């Protein structure tokens, strides 16, 4: 069993609490499904949000999914000119038998454009 990091990102259409919870939950569940993970596999999760998002803590969405005894933390993303707005990112540390090359990172909605270089990205563009 190895410790691996799984990345994810999603873009929100607007800074609304329910929309934040929906998009972050989708990102977390997609990362779990794509990598065959259960709650017991998680060590910790770091969430970042761009400075234009302040309707809710992204970690609260994970808490609602049952991440009650898993260390979670939220932080601000760097404010770089021209960077994508309304983005929540995640780095989850997990125990898994997957090789590093077999990890599937999840980039959803507009955030799919952030890491088009990753071959195993599961991405969902905005409709």
């Amino acid at each position: 069993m190895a410790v691996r990091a799984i990345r994810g990102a999603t873009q929100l259409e607007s800074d609304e609490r329910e929309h934040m919870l929906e998009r972050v939950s989708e990102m977390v569940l997609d990362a779990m499904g794509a990598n065959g993970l259960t709650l017991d596999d998680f060590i910790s999760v770091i969430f970042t949000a761009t400075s234009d998002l302040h309707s809710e803590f992204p970690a609260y969405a994970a808490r609602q999914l049952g991440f009650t005894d898993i260390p979670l933390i939220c932080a601000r993303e760097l404010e770089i000119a021209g960077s994508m707005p309304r983005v929540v990112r995640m780095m989850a540390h997990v125990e898994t038998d997957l090789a590093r090359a077999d990890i599937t990172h999840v980039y959803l909605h507009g955030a799919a454009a952030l890491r088009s270089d990753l071959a195993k990205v599961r991405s969902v563009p905005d409709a």
Side-chain angles (χ1 to χ4, degrees):
M1 186 82 51
V3 174
R4 302 284 184 224
I6 298 174
R7 290 292 317 270
T10 189
Q11 186 179 39
L12 282 65
E13 294 169 18
S14 60
D15 183 29
E16 297 173 21
R17 183 176 187 272
E18 290 306 315
H19 185 53
M20 165 80 77
L21 296 174
E22 173 187 305
R23 289 280 169 102
V24 174
S25 294
E26 176 188 32
M27 175 177 60
V28 171
L29 291 171
D30 281 8
M32 291 175 74
N35 293 287
L37 300 171
T38 67
L39 288 174
D40 288 338
D41 298 321
F42 283 80
I43 298 167
S44 64
V45 184
I46 300 167
F47 293 97
T48 66
T50 52
S51 62
D52 50 4
L53 296 175
H54 41 76
S55 61
E56 183 57 86
F57 292 102
Y60 183 66
R63 293 278 182 234
Q64 289 186 313
L65 294 174
F67 285 62
T68 55
D69 62 351
I70 298 166
L72 308 175
I73 193 166
C74 297
R76 277 278 175 230
E77 192 65 37
L78 293 174
E79 294 186 41
I80 305 299
S83 62
M84 186 177 288
R86 299 177 317 281
V87 174
V88 175
R89 291 173 174 85
M90 137 183 117
M91 184 182 311
H93 302 98
V94 301
E95 292 180 317
T96 180
D97 289 326
L98 291 174
R100 184 175 292 134
D102 294 330
I103 296 292
T104 300
H105 305 282
V106 178
Y107 291 79
L108 307 176
H109 307 287
L114 292 172
R115 291 303 305 259
S116 58
D117 60 312
L118 292 176
K120 296 190 70 75
V121 168
R122 182 204 149 345
S123 63
V124 174
D126 281 326

